[in-house]
């Protein structure tokens, strides 16, 4: 995902330097040896996998205290709501603008610069990075001035995607039990009630019973765990979230964490 974002920024005419935690080059982008070198521009966009990675890369050695004055830091990772509050305070203490910008879309969507970007932060900071965000996405969604609201929205979106996967799997289990092929039933669903991208993408996996990763189950489990943590502030209860979290946990525990997260469908379909 990060590689595609960096490539699209360069294609749009931005001068891009990048540090890659996992190594490797990015076409049209100058690679640097340390993350600090990537914090010396007008804007830094980080796409790290989780809270611990953000903490390790940026906070352990207090790199933001050494960043270029006036830098706007865009955090495109999916992180916990609790950590986003800590991160906002951390940036504020170092006089670094913090823009939350988690994205909706898989790597193929990022490659086409068609991400949906959920943005929250100070309006002036958002305006400053607007042209760069427009270069990597098809729409920017305003989630407010408090960064944590963007991360709450992103976790809710990922939660709902797993609900869609579970709904398709259970519906296919029911209809196949009565002799209706899954591809015929899912064609009906896509053409009538549910034609959105999650249904289109993950119905294909269910039909083929192939779950090559676009988004790994291990990362899906992380996001569902963060959603459950955020749900601690909800006055009611969220039983569907508990169900899909348990499905994903079982999948990862079974050694399938590298499969696509839609493989949670295998439980309802008796294919585990």
């Amino acid at each position: 995902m990060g590689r595609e974002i960096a490539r699209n920024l360069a294609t749009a005419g931005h001068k891009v330097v990048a540090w890659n935690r996992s190594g490797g080059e990015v076409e049209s982008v100058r690679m640097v040896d340390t993350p600090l070198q990537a914090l010396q521009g007008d804007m830094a966009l980080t796409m790290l996998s989780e809270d611990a990675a953000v903490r390790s890369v940026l906070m352990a050695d207090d790199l933001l205290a050494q960043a270029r004055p006036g830098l706007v830091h865009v955090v495109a990772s999916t992180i916990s709501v609790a950590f986003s509050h800590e991160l906002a305070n951390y940036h504020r203490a170092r006089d670094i603008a913090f823009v939350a910008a988690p994205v909706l879309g898989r790597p193929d969507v990022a490659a086409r610069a068609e991400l949906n970007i959920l943005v929250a932060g100070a309006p002036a900071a958002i305006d400053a990075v607007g042209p760069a965000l427009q270069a990597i996405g098809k729409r920017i969604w305003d989630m407010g001035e408090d960064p944590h609201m963007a991360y709450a929205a992103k976790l809710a979106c990922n939660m709902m995607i797993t609900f869609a996967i579970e709904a398709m799997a259970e519906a296919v289990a029911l209809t196949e039990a009565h002799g209706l092929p899954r591809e015929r039933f899912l064609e009906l669903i896509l053409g009538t009630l549910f034609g959105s991208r999650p249904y289109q993408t993950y119905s294909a996996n269910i039909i083929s019973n192939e779950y090559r990763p676009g988004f790994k189950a291990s990362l899906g489990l992380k996001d569902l765990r963060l959603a459950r943590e955020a749900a601690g502030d909800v006055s009611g209860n969220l039983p569907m979230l508990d169900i899909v979290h348990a499905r994903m946990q079982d999948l990862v525990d079974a050694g399938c964490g590298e499969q696509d997260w839609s493989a949670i469908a295998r439980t309802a379909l008796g294919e585990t």
Side-chain angles (χ1 to χ4, degrees):
M1 182 78 79
R3 283 188 173 91
E4 303 299 348
I5 289 172
R7 185 180 297 112
N8 285 331
L9 286 170
T11 299
H14 296 279
K15 182 180 178 181
V16 182
V17 301
W19 175 78
N20 192 346
R21 188 166 67 120
S22 57
E25 302 290 319
V26 179
E27 181 184 351
S28 303
V29 172
R30 181 169 69 86
M31 307 303 294
V32 294
D33 297 326
T34 69
L36 180 58
Q37 291 172 278
L39 297 175
Q40 304 308 316
D42 298 321
M43 163 188 161
L45 186 149
T46 53
M47 176 62 83
L48 296 161
S49 58
E50 58 185 349
D51 295 8
V54 176
R55 191 184 301 279
S56 173
V57 170
L58 293 174
M59 300 171 74
D61 295 320
D62 202 13
L63 293 189
L64 287 182
Q66 307 167 63
R68 177 185 178 277
L71 175 77
V72 179
H73 182 205
V74 177
V75 180
S77 311
T78 301
I79 60 174
S80 70
V81 173
F83 181 57
S84 73
H85 288 293
E86 179 184 346
L87 205 55
N89 291 332
Y90 180 79
H91 282 74
R92 194 175 299 113
R94 286 150 186 81
D95 198 27
I96 297 292
F98 168 33
V99 172
V103 301
L104 296 177
R106 292 152 63 100
D108 60 321
V109 178
R112 298 193 301 270
E114 294 180 353
L115 294 167
N116 281 283
I117 307 171
L118 284 54
V119 170
I126 293 173
D127 288 344
V129 299
L133 296 182
Q134 290 166 8
I136 66 173
K138 69 177 180 180
R139 181 162 177 178
I140 299 171
W141 300 85
D142 183 359
M143 296 291 107
E145 295 190 19
D146 293 323
H148 77 277
M149 293 191 290
Y151 299 114
K154 174 60 191 299
L155 292 172
C157 288
N158 280 10
M159 177 183 76
M160 291 181 70
I161 291 170
T162 59
F163 291 176
I165 296 166
E166 180 68 17
M168 283 189 287
E170 293 190 20
V172 165
L174 187 156
T175 51
E176 278 197 332
H178 294 277
L180 183 63
R182 65 182 63 180
E183 58 270 23
R184 188 171 299 172
F185 173 73
L186 289 171
E187 180 183 13
L188 164 70
I189 291 303
L190 293 177
T192 55
L193 301 177
F194 301 105
S196 63
R197 181 174 173 82
Y199 279 85
Q200 293 170 352
T201 298
Y202 299 116
S203 63
N205 294 355
I206 291 172
I207 288 169
S208 64
N209 192 23
E210 293 183 3
Y211 298 97
R212 289 185 293 273
F215 186 63
K216 293 180 182 179
S218 58
L219 293 175
L221 178 61
K222 181 264 296 186
D223 288 353
L224 290 172
R225 174 178 57 80
L226 297 183
R228 293 186 81 207
E229 290 176 4
D233 296 326
V234 175
S235 58
N237 58 18
L238 306 180
M240 290 178 66
L241 174 56
D242 292 337
I243 290 168
V244 294
H245 177 266
R247 295 278 211 212
M248 199 73 73
Q249 184 70 66
D250 289 345
L251 183 67
V252 172
D253 289 346
C256 301
E258 295 298 303
Q259 292 187 10
D260 191 82
W261 65 339
S262 57
I264 62 168
R266 295 171 58 195
T267 300
L269 294 168
E271 294 169 348
T272 54

